[in-house]
Amino acid sequence: MRGLPKLAAVEAKLFLREGTTLVVGLALPIVLLVVFGSVPAMRQALPELGGSRIIDVYAPILVGLAVASLSLTVLPTGLATYRDKGVLRRLATTPVGPGSLLGAQLVVNLVATLLVVALLVGVAAIAFGVLPPRQVIGFALTLVLLVGSMFGVGLVIAAVAPTGRAANGIGMLCYFPMLFVAGLWTPGSTPDVVARIGEFTPLGAGVDALHSTWAGAWPAPLPLLVMAAYAVGLGVLAARLFRWE
Amino acid sequence: MSTAAAQAGGKGGDMPVIEIENLHKRYGRHVAVHDVSFTVERGEIFGILGPNGAGKTTTVECAQGLRTRDGGTVRVLGSDPATDRLAVRRKVGVQLQETQLPDRMRVAEALDLYSSFYPDPADWRTLLAELGLADKADTPFKKLSGGQKQRLSVALALVGNPEIAILDELTTGMDPQARRDTWQLVEDIRARGVTVLLVTHFMEEAERLCDRLALIDAGRVVAVGTPAGLVAEVDAEQRVRFRPSAPLDDRLLTGLPEVTGVTRTGNQVLVTGTGNLLHALTSALAAQRITAVDLRVEQASLEDAFVALTGRHPDRSHRPDRADPTSAAAQRARQ
């Protein structure tokens, strides 16, 4: 794709100039980690968690939150705004075409996601003694599938939302329920029914699989399959539904 | 005006740069373009003129390859935009109606980015200066005025060193001064050797700028020709209006072979006629030692031609102001 590197560089600059994007996409997961980690009760080993601390349970959930923030708010809002404002249409008249901009957006959001995840894992380990995931390959595979499935959700939202504002609204509508079933508000004590539903959402499955890799185990097949199914299904759906103008 | 086209024809011989034949395009059941044919020669400013909803934008979108036509043939610089998109996009610069850039993208960034899309781009810094945007290089798109956004849009259309520039409703929403500046800009583009395809619904703009134009109404070409030619087609009659300095007998005027009619309104006389009407009239008056005060020659405008050719009036909601005293349309409007 001609023009992609330069487009990605410009998109990265625009990403960094957008205050909301920085707060929601980059700062929020780290700030939450620091806030939770600073509460002494969060750092006490609990017998009902098998000797783990709440902060240990939180680390994978915050990785999920980081992925969700970028894929459900920043990515769809940006793309829908570009279509709504005619930015994609304008590019369609140049030799590079609008597909390059879609590619650049994906690259920028992917790099941002990886950056936040690396920061989360690093800060959790250094500041709060949460040891990094021991099943490294399983962690990497889970992250790939999680990002793939969640970006799939974001792209479908971008495909169906007529405006950037609408995309943001739909994104929020997915964001909070997904975080709820993934256990953000009930770390280590999620009701069974909720956890059961969560297993079949990309975010819940992802957090579940990440948890295993932190504990040094290979993720169970179900969450991996769930995420892979979402990634492929939503990817195809987004490609079918996406309109350039 | 036709010589300008011939002079600029150095690059590719005499072949038309755009050939459109029997173009047909519909959206579902709605037919946007019935049957449109015209050719654009190298180096000319060719206008597509018509009321809103006539099918002008759809026509140029088919020429750009932004839309797939349902019938007819389109050749742009020898390529079919539907099948050979890349070749067309490299050589055709486009200014779209209502296009925006990301709010926070700066002027220089946009030009630098767009120039990287083309194999042989223009120097965007020079372009920036030529379009009067040099001091706006670091300004975000959101902070530009409407006119500055339009000029940036033109700069982006030219940054790839195109052979053809397609300008769609370039001056819509501009104030009169900005509109006149933009007209100069369009002439400057042509002076660079770029063929201009100008889409507009402003009669005055088409009359002032275009070497030739296609009049489009309800998806069909009504007429193709030079603005003067189209006007002449529908109006062979001239009108001279004046106030005689002394009492004047109508028979003195009706006796002249050039005069076809004399009408009086108050102390004003309106003489209609053909041929060298003005000369005949002033000679006859001079012989009687009568001076024609407030003498005004009224000619038909493109707007009159449009009304005569389509049988209805063009969109009146977006008319440009008529303050330019040199324009025929302005004179016509005051009557």
Side-chain angles (χ1 to χ4, degrees), chain A residues 53-107:
Chain A
R53 305 165 303 163
I54 292 184
I55 192 70
D56 296 321
V57 181
Y58 251 129
I61 293 176
L62 290 176
V63 168
L65 174 103
V67 175
S69 300
L70 285 159
S71 57
L72 297 185
T73 67
V74 178
L75 178 69
T77 307
L79 284 176
T81 304
Y82 279 180
R83 178 183 44 225
D84 186 29
K85 286 196 162 185
V87 176
L88 296 176
R89 193 174 135 77
R90 180 65 185 84
L91 275 176
T93 68
T94 71
V96 300
S100 304
L101 186 57
L102 179 61
Q105 277 279 321
L106 288 175
V107 166

Side-chain angles (χ1 to χ4, degrees), chain B:
Chain B
M1 276 193 269
S2 58
T3 51
Q7 281 164 2
K11 275 189 199 170
D14 295 333
M15 214 179 69
V17 292
I18 300 175
E19 294 172 274
I20 294 181
E21 229 174 290
N22 305 117
L23 177 68
H24 185 82
K25 172 72 189 173
R26 52 180 181 268
Y27 303 116
R29 278 209 213 134
H30 171 71
V31 179
V33 175
H34 276 280
D35 182 4
V36 164
S37 306
F38 59 83
T39 57
V40 179
E41 305 295 330
R42 190 174 289 277
E44 70 179 341
I45 298 178
F46 188 92
I48 297 183
L49 177 68
N52 291 333
K56 308 185 297 288
T57 295
T58 302
T59 300
V60 294
E61 281 175 344
C62 289
Q64 291 158 11
L66 277 181
R67 301 214 181 271
T68 317
R69 62 183 182 268
D70 296 314
T73 55
V74 177
R75 288 283 175 282
V76 176
L77 297 163
S79 305
D80 182 343
T83 55
D84 201 359
R85 290 184 183 197
L86 193 58
V88 171
R89 285 170 190 183
R90 278 187 180 151
K91 293 174 190 163
V92 179
V94 173
Q95 174 269 324
L96 289 172
Q97 230 182 116
E98 289 162 15
T99 312
Q100 302 236 340
L101 291 170
D103 282 344
R104 289 167 204 270
M105 187 178 278
R106 292 170 188 160
V107 170
E109 276 171 358
L111 282 160
D112 184 38
L113 177 65
Y114 273 66
S115 71
S116 76
F117 298 161
Y118 297 90
D120 176 30
D123 179 359
W124 60 262
R125 287 174 187 83
T126 316
L127 211 50
L128 208 59
E130 284 173 6
L131 290 171
L133 288 169
D135 57 336
K136 297 287 171 195
D138 292 325
T139 306
F141 182 74
K142 190 172 59 173
K143 298 264 169 78
L144 296 176
S145 72
Q148 288 163 346
K149 282 180 182 171
Q150 285 290 45
R151 273 182 280 153
L152 176 57
S153 182
V154 171
L156 292 176
L158 297 177
V159 79
N161 256 336
E163 291 183 38
I164 302 170
I166 297 180
L167 311 174
D168 193 355
E169 300 286 1
L170 185 61
T171 62
T172 300
M174 284 189 180
D175 62 61
Q177 185 55 47
R179 181 169 293 126
R180 259 165 260 286
D181 291 347
T182 308
W183 288 347
Q184 183 57 49
L185 193 63
V186 175
E187 285 173 339
D188 292 346
I189 295 171
R190 190 253 303 274
R192 303 162 77 103
V194 178
T195 306
V196 177
L197 183 61
L198 182 81
V199 178
T200 184
H201 67 272
F202 293 145
M203 300 291 152
E204 189 187 353
E205 182 165 297
E207 196 163 21
R208 153 84 197 269
L209 282 178
C210 298
D211 298 315
R212 290 192 310 131
L213 53 90
L215 211 59
I216 294 187
D217 186 41
R220 294 177 204 278
V221 174
V222 178
V224 179
T226 63
L230 290 179
V231 171
E233 218 172 276
V234 298
D235 185 85
E237 194 180 69
Q238 302 172 42
R239 267 173 290 212
V240 179
R241 193 186 288 273
F242 64 94
R243 196 155 47 77
S245 61
L248 170 68
D249 185 352
D250 279 2
R251 280 172 297 181
L252 177 71
L253 303 176
T254 49
L256 296 170
E258 288 88 353
V259 172
T260 56
V262 177
T263 322
R264 281 180 184 265
T265 318
N267 57 1
Q268 269 207 340
V269 182
L270 172 67
V271 182
T272 55
T274 53
N276 204 346
L277 177 66
L278 186 60
H279 178 75
L281 201 62
T282 46
S283 306
L285 290 175
Q288 302 295 317
R289 297 176 185 277
I290 297 175
T291 311
V293 183
D294 288 342
L295 178 76
R296 188 179 290 167
V297 180
E298 288 164 358
Q299 287 170 321
S301 70
L302 195 54
E303 194 168 320
D304 299 308
F306 183 90
V307 175
L309 288 166
T310 65
R312 61 198 188 80
H313 217 277
D315 185 339
R316 277 190 171 275
S317 57
H318 296 94
R319 296 274 289 281
D321 90 308
R322 294 298 194 60
D324 185 350
T326 61
S327 119
Q331 293 188 10
R332 183 87 174 78
R334 285 196 205 106
Q335 73 174 59

